[in-house]
Amino acid sequence: MANAGGGPRGVAARAGGWSAQHRWAAVGIWVLFVLLAMVAGSAAGQVELKESDQLKGETTQAARITEEAGIEEPAGESVLVQARNGTAKATDAEFRQAVDAVIKAVGGTGEVTGVKSPYDTKSISRDGRSALVQFDVRGDPETAGERIEPVLNAVAKVQEEHKELRIEEIGGASMNKTFDDAFGDDFQQAELLAVPIALGILLVAFGALVAALLPVLLAITAIMATMGLMGLASHLMPMGDSASSVMLLVGLAVGVDYCLFYLRREREEREAGRDGRTAIMIAAATSGRAVVVSGVTVCVAMAGMLFTGIGEFKSMGLASLIVVAVAMVGSVTVLPALLSLLGHRVEKGRIPFLNRAKRGASGPDGGSRVWSRVLGGVLKRPLVSLVVAAGALVAIALPAVGMKTQNFTLDQEFGDSLPIVATYQRVNEAFPGGTDPAEVVVKADDINAAPVKQAIADFRERAVSSGASRGPVEVVMHDAQNLAFVYVPLVGGSDQDKAGKSLDILRNEVRPATLGKVDGVEAPISGQVAGSKDFNDQLTGAVTPVFAFVVVFAFVLMLLSFRSLTIAITSIVLNLLSVGAAYGILTAVFQHGWGASLVGAEGVGAIIAWLPLFLFVILFGLSMDYHVFVVSRIREAKLAGRGTREAITHGVVTTAGVVTSAAVIMVAVFAIFGTLSMQSMKQMGVGLAAAVLIDATIIRGVLLPAIMALLGERNWYFPKWLRWLPDLTHDEPVLPPTQAVPGTRHDDDRPDPVRV
């Protein structure tokens, strides 16, 4: 595995060689790096993503004005008092007694402030059967859910005393508490289950405990280091709530994959009769190189999220990029050192019945007997295989043509699994837009100046007369900060389309005719509906640059790494086909409801807005793991003198076991998230699991070999006009089965304590 100059040529080969030679130093450096990253991250602390960092546009402008003024809007809550029959009215004495009891009960908890009677605020429904008691939760709105329980208990007690009425609380704090209680444990359990599931699958794949523990150990240490580095990075780019969860998923996936690829190759070389160091060096130059190519490609894909301009996406992208880079470095440095230290002890803890089963399933080249048969059929009729497989994937992808994306309302996200969802629906029916009003942040040099006050009054009047709102439009003044907050219940309520039209009337008609005529006044309009619209607008605008960035850079990396225009093009096409099939499955199941009951889902009529772009980036990156690994093995066999079809057979069959194991781990981990009750998480889990399954079977096992068989020698086409590009192939000569690296030992079953 040495070049003419006597030293390894590739980065991975050099790193593996040094680590195997200085194994204790390599392990020590890795452990020190992980510890330093964790300590530094803990000392620096993590900067959380603020609302003003999330988006561009009016929503961010409103958040920035509010933050700069030092105003922290309290968490608002409402209690619905509603007649259960058609005769009771809010004007009835018994109804009034219940409202007074609610006001007294919530006020008596000491946890709320600004309790308002519906008779003072005119918060009575048009049919007179419902009323809203409104108040704010004291203290930090971010932690209001932790203090809301006494208030909920007080409201529940009033309900017990007035059973003839429906008395229910809803608001940001109560919803957060309900969701945390219902789903917080689910998320934690899902994350905790991921590691033992991965370990169990690796035990089956390797048939030995030590070999199975190594990939999990690498993934966990990479995740630990990344958690620390995220704290440091957050001072440059604040981290959102989802960044850690996505980082954990991606880190576990790539950490296990990279180690799996490397370890499987090292074991294969040992089984071919090579000594330990030679096996490690071959694994470093082949699988190690594939890990580097794959890792850089995945990092590029994750970097695509930075181009969205959306704070949550940017933090997820950065966290994922860091964990992939850390896992990649660990795979080509500390892993060879550990393999050198362990020697044949990597086979400790062998499980006899698993090893017998694996030997029974082995085919040519030590590969999978099942995949050998499948591949035999594919290579016998490559054109038929290509047409059938590609046709099937195109058919699966077709529903995606009509994909509809939107941010989910509460009832879409949780269905009828929680009582608070029914409360949300009842409040929206009685008070359309009342619980999620548009919020106009009015900033002026003098908020009490006559022209400004008149403009606010005109805005209130026109908001109702224009048909955008039915009122009441509430104004809260902050004289010291020269700010005013105008709350406008939107006609349309929880109906995103109708509420969006009402928002457009406010922004494009009402505001220009009133507040827009006063010099020096800023009046951005935010709120839930506005935030959803601004998010969707920005996401739509980001699709093209993100897709272009990821596809172009992935193409260039594949071109430079394999020195083949054909390989680069087919890689992109196959990955896009895989993503398209995932989109089609999502649309069919969750939008149209086809087979939704099979995954415990409801056809909600749409896909959560952030998922298509997120899936594209994640899948495009992760699918490169398999593709680079398989194509690298085919190319290696081709350079060793095998014919194209023989090289394809060797590459696919010998990698089938590790690709299948890696895919099963990913599918199992992603499927855990598909079991959660939240529709958005269910969509993410099902989409990722389905795409990985398709990618590891139909794409890599059928389409890739069929296309390469049809292309033959054209697989390696590299036009003369591109030969000026840098050569990143770093090909290493393949040694005969029992040949060792010059100058190395053969008897390393018990590694030399001084030199390998």
Side-chain angles (χ1 to χ4, degrees):
M1 294 299 300
N3 64 7
R9 298 168 57 194
V11 172
R14 289 198 296 271
W18 186 91
S19 296
Q21 187 75 24
H22 308 86
R23 50 201 182 179
W24 283 113
V27 173
I29 291 171
W30 179 256
V31 172
L32 183 63
F33 162 70
V34 173
L35 291 175
L36 286 177
M38 293 176 64
V39 171
S42 178
Q46 186 162 301
V47 179
E48 300 296 330
L49 194 66
K50 296 185 294 185
E51 190 176 353
S52 58
D53 298 323
Q54 281 284 10
L55 298 168
K56 298 175 183 176
E58 292 194 32
T59 305
T60 297
Q61 185 186 359
R64 177 183 53 78
I65 291 172
T66 304
E67 289 172 9
E68 289 176 352
I71 296 173
E72 202 169 56
E73 291 189 83
E77 289 284 301
S78 300
V79 176
L80 172 70
V81 182
Q82 188 176 64
R84 290 184 184 272
N85 56 57
T87 58
K89 296 287 184 180
T91 52
D92 296 347
E94 192 172 352
F95 198 107
R96 283 179 174 272
Q97 288 174 4
V99 169
D100 291 340
V102 169
I103 293 172
K104 182 179 179 181
V106 299
T109 63
E111 298 290 346
V112 307
T113 183
V115 184
K116 301 168 188 173
S117 169
Y119 301 106
D120 295 333
T121 60
K122 298 181 181 179
S123 298
I124 298 173
S125 63
R126 295 175 71 130
D127 62 6
R129 297 179 57 249
S130 306
L132 281 182
V133 178
Q134 297 171 305
F135 52 89
D136 296 324
V137 183
R138 294 183 184 275
D140 185 355
E142 295 294 327
T143 59
E146 301 169 9
R147 301 186 303 278
I148 199 64
E149 187 167 5
V151 184
L152 291 169
N153 292 338
V155 171
K157 188 174 181 180
V158 177
Q159 172 68 91
E160 284 296 313
E161 296 168 355
H162 296 270
K163 294 183 178 179
E164 71 282 359
L165 299 172
R166 181 179 285 115
I167 301 174
E168 301 168 331
E169 182 176 345
I170 191 169
S174 53
M175 284 193 288
N176 283 341
K177 175 175 171 46
T178 302
F179 300 154
D180 287 344
D181 290 347
F183 304 112
D185 291 341
D186 282 356
F187 278 108
Q188 188 175 8
Q189 185 178 2
E191 292 176 350
L192 291 176
L193 278 175
V195 172
I197 285 176
L199 180 59
I201 295 168
L202 287 169
L203 272 173
V204 175
F206 284 118
L209 181 60
V210 174
L213 283 171
L214 278 180
V216 175
L217 180 65
L218 176 70
I220 290 175
T221 55
I223 289 169
M224 291 168 62
T226 302
M227 290 174 68
L229 295 177
M230 282 173 63
L232 300 175
S234 70
H235 290 268
L236 299 175
M237 184 181 294
M239 291 291 164
D241 295 335
S242 303
S244 295
S245 295
V246 172
M247 181 275 292
L248 187 146
L249 277 176
V250 174
L252 186 62
V254 300
V256 169
D257 276 9
Y258 293 165
C259 190
L260 196 58
F261 296 162
Y262 207 109
L263 182 55
R264 178 65 183 85
R265 184 57 185 267
E266 189 267 353
R267 290 179 99 207
E268 183 181 318
E269 296 303 327
R270 279 180 176 272
E271 289 168 3
R274 295 193 174 100
D275 63 277
R277 177 172 168 80
T278 303
I280 292 172
M281 292 299 291
I282 293 175
T286 53
S287 291
R289 176 185 172 276
V291 165
V292 171
V293 174
S294 173
V296 173
T297 309
V298 176
C299 285
V300 167
M302 299 306 169
M305 290 195 202
L306 304 179
F307 289 82
T308 61
I310 298 170
E312 198 73 45
F313 268 55
K314 289 164 65 178
S315 66
M316 287 192 296
L318 182 60
S320 301
L321 189 156
I322 293 172
V323 78
V324 171
V326 171
M328 176 182 68
V329 171
S331 297
V332 298
T333 55
V334 71
L335 183 57
L338 289 172
L339 291 175
S340 178
L341 281 168
L342 289 169
H344 281 294
R345 284 170 292 188
V346 76
E347 303 290 345
K348 287 284 186 181
R350 293 178 71 86
I351 304 172
F353 70 89
L354 285 179
N355 284 283
R356 285 196 298 270
K358 284 165 63 68
R359 282 194 297 270
S362 296
D365 294 316
S368 165
R369 191 178 300 278
V370 173
W371 278 110
S372 295
R373 291 172 181 166
V374 172
L375 195 61
V378 170
L379 296 181
K380 187 176 181 180
R381 296 181 178 85
L383 183 58
V384 173
S385 301
L386 173 63
V387 171
V388 171
L393 290 184
V394 169
I396 293 172
L398 277 178
V401 174
M403 181 189 287
K404 177 185 177 184
T405 61
Q406 67 179 57
N407 287 335
F408 288 167
T409 56
L410 195 66
D411 51 335
Q412 286 178 309
E413 184 72 272
F414 297 102
D416 57 0
S417 61
L418 297 175
I420 203 168
V421 175
T423 304
Y424 172 82
Q425 293 170 329
R426 282 191 279 266
V427 170
N428 270 293
E429 288 172 5
F431 303 93
T435 55
D436 297 315
E439 182 179 305
V440 188
V441 181
V442 183
K443 179 183 180 183
D445 295 331
D446 181 4
I447 200 66
N448 287 305
V452 177
K453 295 184 77 172
Q454 183 59 51
I456 292 175
D458 291 343
F459 181 90
R460 294 180 67 184
E461 188 276 326
R462 289 207 182 198
V464 176
S465 64
S466 67
S469 175
R470 296 193 184 101
V473 178
E474 183 184 356
V475 178
V476 177
M477 303 293 292
H478 293 272
D479 295 341
Q481 292 88 1
N482 282 311
L483 291 181
F485 291 82
V486 184
Y487 299 96
V488 186
L490 295 173
V491 169
S494 60
D495 187 319
Q496 295 280 323
D497 293 334
K498 291 181 180 178
K501 291 177 182 177
S502 299
L503 175 69
D504 288 339
I505 292 173
L506 286 185
R507 282 181 168 179
N508 303 326
E509 298 177 21
V510 177
R511 180 177 56 187
T514 54
L515 296 166
K517 290 186 175 181
V518 183
D519 292 337
V521 170
E522 291 182 68
I525 302 178
S526 64
Q528 187 181 49
V529 175
S532 177
K533 185 179 187 305
D534 292 348
F535 177 86
N536 285 334
D537 289 346
Q538 189 161 334
L539 197 62
T540 301
V543 167
T544 300
V546 170
F547 271 58
F549 173 82
V550 172
V551 170
V552 170
F553 271 78
F555 173 82
V556 171
L557 283 170
M558 296 299 288
L559 183 68
L560 298 180
S561 299
F562 289 100
R563 206 83 176 157
S564 166
L565 182 61
T566 309
I567 293 294
I569 292 173
T570 54
S571 299
I572 300 300
V573 171
L574 290 177
N575 277 1
L576 290 176
L577 192 56
S578 176
V579 172
Y583 284 176
I585 291 172
L586 277 175
T587 307
V589 174
F590 294 98
Q591 184 172 317
H592 301 306
W594 303 342
S597 60
L598 297 177
V599 293
E602 296 180 18
V604 294
I607 306 302
I608 189 70
W610 54 265
L611 188 57
L613 189 61
F614 174 81
L615 274 183
F616 169 77
V617 172
I618 296 292
L619 293 177
F620 209 92
L622 295 183
S623 64
M624 278 298 180
D625 280 356
Y626 307 143
H627 194 79
V628 170
F629 190 57
V630 176
V631 175
S632 294
R633 200 62 185 270
I634 294 172
R635 188 173 193 274
E636 180 189 330
K638 178 67 177 173
L639 291 173
R642 301 194 186 209
T644 298
R645 295 205 175 197
E646 187 184 357
I648 293 170
T649 301
H650 175 80
V652 173
V653 170
T654 55
T655 58
V658 69
V659 168
T660 301
S661 300
V664 169
I665 290 171
M666 282 200 207
V667 170
V669 170
F670 294 147
I672 295 173
F673 285 81
T675 64
L676 300 181
S677 298
M678 293 176 65
Q679 289 296 308
S680 56
M681 291 297 101
K682 193 179 288 292
Q683 288 185 3
M684 182 189 77
V686 171
L688 286 171
V692 169
L693 187 60
I694 288 171
D695 194 78
T697 54
I698 299 176
I699 298 289
R700 309 304 159 204
V702 180
L703 278 178
L704 176 63
I707 289 174
M708 294 190 76
L710 289 171
L711 290 171
E713 292 301 317
R714 287 168 292 184
N715 282 299
W716 321 111
Y717 171 68
F718 193 68
K720 292 181 180 179
W721 56 273
L722 287 177
R723 291 179 184 174
W724 58 273
L725 292 171
D727 185 353
L728 303 183
T729 53
H730 295 301
D731 298 318
E732 305 291 341
V734 180
L735 300 174
T738 56
Q739 188 176 335
V741 174
T744 61
R745 299 175 45 166
H746 293 259
D747 56 342
D748 67 340
D749 285 1
R750 292 171 296 173
D752 191 317
V754 180
R755 181 178 180 277
V756 182

